[in-house]
Amino acid sequence: MHAPGRFRARRLGPGAQAPRWARRPRVAGVRGWLALLGAALAVAAVCAVAVLRPWGAPEPVAPVAVAEGNAAVAASVPPAPLVLEEGARVLVFGDSWVYGSAATVPTLGFAYRLADELGVETVVDGVRGSGYLKPGLDGPAYGERIAALDPALDPDLIVVEGSINDRRLYPAGYRNAVTAAWDALEARYPDAAIVILGPSPQVLPVESPTSSIDTELAELAAARGWWYISPIAEGWITAANYLEVIDTGPIGRDHPSTDGHAYLAARVADAIEAMELQPAIVADAPHDEDPVAP
């Protein structure tokens, strides 16, 4: 556990460059503009055809819903902006990646490093080999572990990570196990904000069940209005940096190295800080600050 501090955004100093993952290619030059013009003309042509041939226009698509228990809930509920006050307590819950496996010492794992990255107090609860379905080496599956959490912990934020350990058991019973675990977590800490951190690829290419788990967790989190972080969708671990992040040796066994944990801590911190910067969505908000009377 780390001492509390102030939530702070890391800002770039004069002359500093943004991290590699924050850079975006720019479209420039005549070819880029010609490509955009061509795309615009193509869209205009399709619209014209749809007007002249209404039978070819697409049918309205109903909002997608996912089943949770016996009820259908909206598949996308905008999450509220994240607010972490000074001295915030953050519970980081997950598997061996949260435990700090393959770091020189577990306390150099990404979950522990978040305390310094974010300037908060962290409480780390990682069990190697565990998942929503799979019991771990040092404890049971997520649901039983959540039931054993101390109600007096009272975290301000909970980050639930993982889990690739369910990939060989997926999909039988997975959605029910996730739903039950998240219901229990909400009931135990009703005042805490919850962020779901999806599985990170331990091997490349990403295994198909791992990708499916990521997609399903994203849908379930969106249905609850929770923030979801997808290291897979955001390309945190690629062929370009895989060996810098993952220790493939007999000790590391495809877990993040010490440097890899430092990298993941920075990425998670960046994602959490971005959530705090998101504007709140207000229903029926006026479009103009100074509306003109008729």
Side-chain angles (χ1 to χ4, degrees):
M1 187 177 296
H2 291 252
R6 181 180 297 276
F7 181 88
R8 64 187 188 279
R10 296 186 305 283
R11 294 180 173 84
L12 299 174
Q17 288 186 327
R20 285 176 296 176
W21 56 84
R23 298 175 190 171
R24 298 289 185 270
R26 294 179 295 176
V27 177
V30 176
R31 291 183 179 178
W33 287 110
L34 288 176
L36 291 174
L37 179 59
L41 291 174
V43 171
V46 171
C47 292
V49 171
V51 170
L52 295 173
R53 299 174 60 192
W55 58 86
E59 293 292 329
V61 179
V64 180
V66 293
E68 184 180 356
N70 295 323
V73 293
S76 181
V77 179
L82 185 65
V83 177
L84 287 179
E85 302 291 346
E86 182 177 358
R89 174 176 292 173
V90 179
L91 169 63
V92 189
F93 181 96
D95 54 26
S96 57
W97 291 50
V98 168
Y99 175 87
S101 292
T104 305
V105 292
T107 51
L108 290 178
F110 88 88
Y112 293 92
R113 289 176 180 266
L114 282 177
D116 292 331
E117 288 285 341
L118 294 173
V120 297
E121 174 190 3
T122 55
V123 179
V124 178
D125 190 325
V127 170
R128 297 172 294 173
S130 64
Y132 289 97
L133 293 171
K134 183 178 179 298
L137 299 177
D138 312 307
Y142 280 19
E144 293 181 62
R145 289 172 54 201
I146 289 170
L149 289 172
D150 183 2
L153 180 61
D154 193 25
D156 300 290
L157 171 66
I158 304 171
V159 178
V160 183
E161 174 271 342
S163 169
I164 57 176
N165 296 316
D166 292 317
R167 67 192 186 279
R168 305 204 187 285
L169 301 174
Y170 181 85
Y174 186 76
R175 183 175 290 252
N176 289 338
V178 172
T179 298
W182 291 1
D183 285 347
L185 195 62
E186 274 192 307
R188 182 143 303 231
Y189 304 118
D191 297 326
I194 299 177
V195 172
I196 305 300
L197 173 60
S200 299
Q202 85 285 13
V203 294
L204 292 178
V206 180
E207 294 174 301
S208 179
T210 302
S211 181
S212 297
I213 285 171
D214 178 59
T215 299
E216 186 151 6
L217 289 177
E219 292 175 353
L220 292 173
R224 292 175 182 253
W226 290 357
W227 289 102
Y228 185 78
I229 305 172
S230 174
I232 293 175
E234 296 178 18
W236 286 12
I237 301 174
T238 66
N241 69 354
Y242 179 79
L243 293 178
E244 299 173 14
V245 178
I246 302 298
D247 182 348
T248 60
I251 297 178
R253 300 180 62 185
D254 299 335
H255 287 84
S257 62
T258 300
D259 288 343
H261 276 288
Y263 166 76
L264 291 174
R267 294 303 301 256
V268 174
D270 284 345
I272 290 175
E273 288 175 352
M275 295 169 194
E276 196 199 30
L277 298 176
Q278 295 298 317
I281 298 176
V282 181
D284 299 325
H287 295 286
D288 300 316
E289 294 184 5
D290 299 315
V292 179

